Amino acid sequence: MQDVEFINGLIDFIKNSPTPFHAVETMAKILDRHGFVELDEAEQWSISDRQPEGRYYVIRNDSSIIAFQLNQSLPENGMRMVGAHTDSPCLQVKPNPEIVNNNYLQLGVEVYGGALLNPWFDRDLSLAGRVSYLDDSGAIDSQLINMEKAVAIIPSLAIHLDREANESRCINKQTDLPPVLMKMPKTDAEGTAKADFKEILLKIINADIETGDAVRVLDYELSFYDVQPPAVIGLHDDFIASARLDNLLSCYTGLMAMLDDDRRQNTLLICTDHEEVGSMSAAGAQGTFLKSVLERLCQGDENISRMIANSVMISADNAHGIHPNYADKHDKNHGPILNDGPVLKVNTNQRYASNSQTGALFKHLCELADVPVQSFVVRTDMACGSTIGPITAGEIGVKTVDVGVPTFAMHSIRELAGRWDAYYLYRVLKQFFN
Ligand SMILES: [Zn+2]
């Protein structure tokens, strides 16, 4: 795949994936087009290591996905695995969200993950996620929704009303964040109409589903997102600016590498939800999803132990590029530069799973793919972030290396990456899968 096609595909992928649910749906559609067969965790699987061929994918909780291709005996050849995560920090709508203040309808929100909150102000926001409803036969069903148009905004307080804003404004998550959705219509002299968010959702659901038989909205997981689409920017088109680069960039890159591999190895891509809140959930990397899929593919403890011992995982999640305005936040010898290649992430306290052997493998893969490679180690006097690498390595015992493309503004509503780094990473992962 050429660079331009790759970057346009990445832009479309992120645009179509405002939530982990949509990211998984978008990936499943791409996998369907490439002949992958969906397996249902609740059904009997007929594949095993005795019948080692085929392309499959499995979804859990609509928000995590494992895709794999079997081409050789699993215990003897193991799996070449790539891991990433589908979730990003955001504002999630509360269960009883309606707030009416001065005739404005606002929605109460919880902060999901370690969001950088300042950039959420003065953005054109839309809403997307999963809604569960009761249909007219009494069954509970779920539907993904994406309002697409800008339906809300969190306006800043003007500087005239807070002269210290540039020096010391801080954000109260409870009171400063509820987005404004609309002006409430006046019903009569006494007051305004009552807002019912679930009624609004019911109309959207019934317009979305063919049967139109939703009777009542029971529950939902909805988050706000910025409607501004991703863009290649910079005087020389050096950068890609977008929401959710952490970590949809790695999901997309892993997926493209898998689709383009030469189908000689056993390969697997796992993209899980809830990394931003620690991965401890049924669908998260600390849950049973990967373990359960591998156990079903390799029947018997002996087989699975051999398979894992013969496997390697590349855990791909973005790294912090050295920011020119804040260069002292990095160790001078380990400050990754945007567009100078993917980053090998190392931490002796095992916040990253890389060791000298898996690191060497990654560096060698970069050499083979003719791609530059950089290293990141956090400043010794600062705390280190983490990712799914150590969790997956700890849960299933697979040799793992943590890597990722360098970015600025991680966890902002609009992050920045080098437009070449994603393509470099794609080439390395393709090399790995082959
Ligand atoms: Zn991440």
Side-chain angles (χ1 to χ4, degrees):
M1 187 188 276
Q2 293 304 307
D3 158 59
V4 174
E5 190 192 343
F6 176 86
I7 208 84
N8 288 337
L10 173 61
I11 286 171
D12 280 347
F13 179 73
I14 296 177
K15 206 158 53 178
N16 293 328
S17 307
T19 72
F21 305 117
H22 292 86
V24 165
E25 185 184 54
T26 309
M27 292 172 90
K29 278 185 194 158
I30 296 171
L31 290 163
D32 287 338
R33 283 206 299 276
H34 286 81
F36 281 70
V37 176
E38 181 171 7
L39 298 171
D40 186 335
E41 283 199 283
E43 279 167 19
Q44 178 85 41
W45 295 2
S46 57
I47 47 169
S48 75
D49 60 302
R50 279 174 285 280
Q51 209 183 350
E53 256 162 46
R55 314 178 106 183
Y56 305 92
Y57 69 89
V58 195
I59 290 171
R60 187 178 277 195
N61 184 46
D62 303 325
S63 65
S64 293
I65 186 166
I66 295 176
F68 54 94
Q69 307 190 95
L70 304 177
N71 294 300
Q72 299 193 17
S73 157
L74 281 167
E76 269 138 56
N77 298 280
M79 278 274 196
R80 301 190 182 189
M81 307 189 220
V82 168
H85 64 89
T86 55
D87 60 319
S88 305
C90 63
L91 303 183
Q92 195 89 17
V93 182
K94 288 182 177 177
N96 302 319
E98 303 88 351
I99 302 169
V100 179
N101 263 336
N102 301 86
N103 273 16
Y104 297 102
L105 173 65
Q106 295 170 270
L107 294 183
V109 287
E110 276 187 288
V111 179
Y112 175 82
L116 189 63
L117 292 172
N118 269 308
W120 278 81
F121 289 79
D122 309 322
R123 290 276 171 173
D124 302 350
L125 303 176
S126 190
L127 260 179
R130 178 170 69 174
V131 180
S132 294
Y133 61 91
L134 201 64
D135 71 17
D136 60 5
S137 72
I140 298 175
D141 218 331
S142 293
Q143 173 77 16
L144 301 194
I145 65 163
N146 180 1
M147 294 192 185
E148 287 179 26
K149 77 167 203 163
V151 297
I153 190 160
I154 313 170
S156 289
L157 179 65
I159 193 160
H160 314 77
L161 305 179
D162 176 13
R163 290 288 178 190
E164 306 302 311
N166 287 334
E167 283 71 43
S168 59
R169 179 175 293 174
C170 53
I171 298 165
N172 180 304
K173 291 176 188 167
Q174 170 69 19
T175 57
D176 295 348
L177 292 179
V180 178
L181 275 83
M182 62 186 268
K183 184 84 190 304
M184 293 296 287
K186 284 204 168 63
T187 47
D188 51 43
E190 275 102 75
T192 50
K194 215 173 150 352
D196 188 337
F197 184 57
K198 289 201 180 90
E199 279 299 314
I200 298 170
L201 289 178
L202 187 65
K203 283 192 193 125
I204 294 171
I205 291 286
N206 274 326
D208 260 22
I209 54 175
E210 277 162 30
T211 46
D213 63 352
V215 176
R216 189 152 43 95
V217 168
L218 296 172
D219 214 338
Y220 53 78
E221 290 151 276
L222 294 169
S223 51
F224 284 99
Y225 71 93
D226 185 359
V227 296
Q228 185 178 6
V232 173
I233 64 157
L235 193 55
H236 288 158
D237 296 334
D238 283 333
F239 309 111
I240 170 163
S242 171
R244 305 181 298 285
L245 288 173
D246 174 13
N247 191 14
L248 294 184
L249 182 150
S250 305
C251 293
Y252 173 78
T253 304
L255 182 61
M256 290 304 114
M258 179 179 237
L259 296 180
D260 282 357
D261 79 13
D262 59 11
R263 301 184 67 175
R264 285 183 299 120
Q265 306 295 331
N266 303 316
T267 57
L268 180 145
L269 173 70
I270 174 166
C271 299
T272 47
D273 197 0
H274 297 144
E275 189 273 347
E276 300 294 356
V277 292
S279 291
M280 179 53 115
S281 72
Q286 200 160 354
T288 56
F289 190 26
L290 180 58
K291 204 163 171 230
S292 154
V293 167
L294 295 179
E295 277 169 359
R296 293 173 81 161
L297 295 182
C298 288
Q299 288 127 5
D301 288 349
E302 178 77 10
N303 283 346
I304 189 160
S305 295
R306 287 178 65 204
M307 189 266 263
I308 287 171
N310 283 316
S311 298
V312 178
M313 168 168 276
I314 296 182
S315 154
D317 197 356
N318 298 346
H320 299 294
I322 187 165
H323 190 307
N325 297 349
Y326 307 92
D328 63 349
K329 294 289 180 190
H330 276 75
D331 177 311
K332 245 206 298 196
N333 290 349
H334 302 92
I337 305 284
L338 270 58
N339 283 329
D340 278 2
V343 178
L344 170 63
K345 300 195 254 182
V346 175
N347 180 256
T348 190
N349 297 308
Q350 301 302 305
R351 302 284 290 164
Y352 299 130
S354 316
N355 64 27
S356 60
Q357 289 182 332
T358 57
L361 170 71
F362 187 73
K363 286 176 182 171
H364 186 55
L365 288 169
C366 289
E367 265 168 27
L368 292 174
D370 197 20
V371 160
V373 61
Q374 316 183 68
S375 302
F376 175 75
V377 179
V378 77
R379 277 181 64 109
T380 312
D381 54 4
M382 281 172 68
C384 186
S386 192
T387 178
I388 60 161
I391 292 169
T392 312
E395 289 297 318
I396 70 162
V398 65
K399 293 183 280 289
T400 301
V401 60
D402 272 304
V403 307
V405 305
T407 59
F408 294 150
M410 191 183 285
H411 292 190
S412 167
I413 198 168
R414 201 158 175 88
E415 303 173 322
L416 195 78
R419 72 84 59 88
W420 291 105
D421 288 325
Y423 189 61
Y424 285 145
L425 182 63
Y426 154 78
R427 281 168 42 193
V428 181
L429 297 181
K430 197 171 134 181
Q431 186 76 43
F432 172 59
F433 280 151
N434 289 338

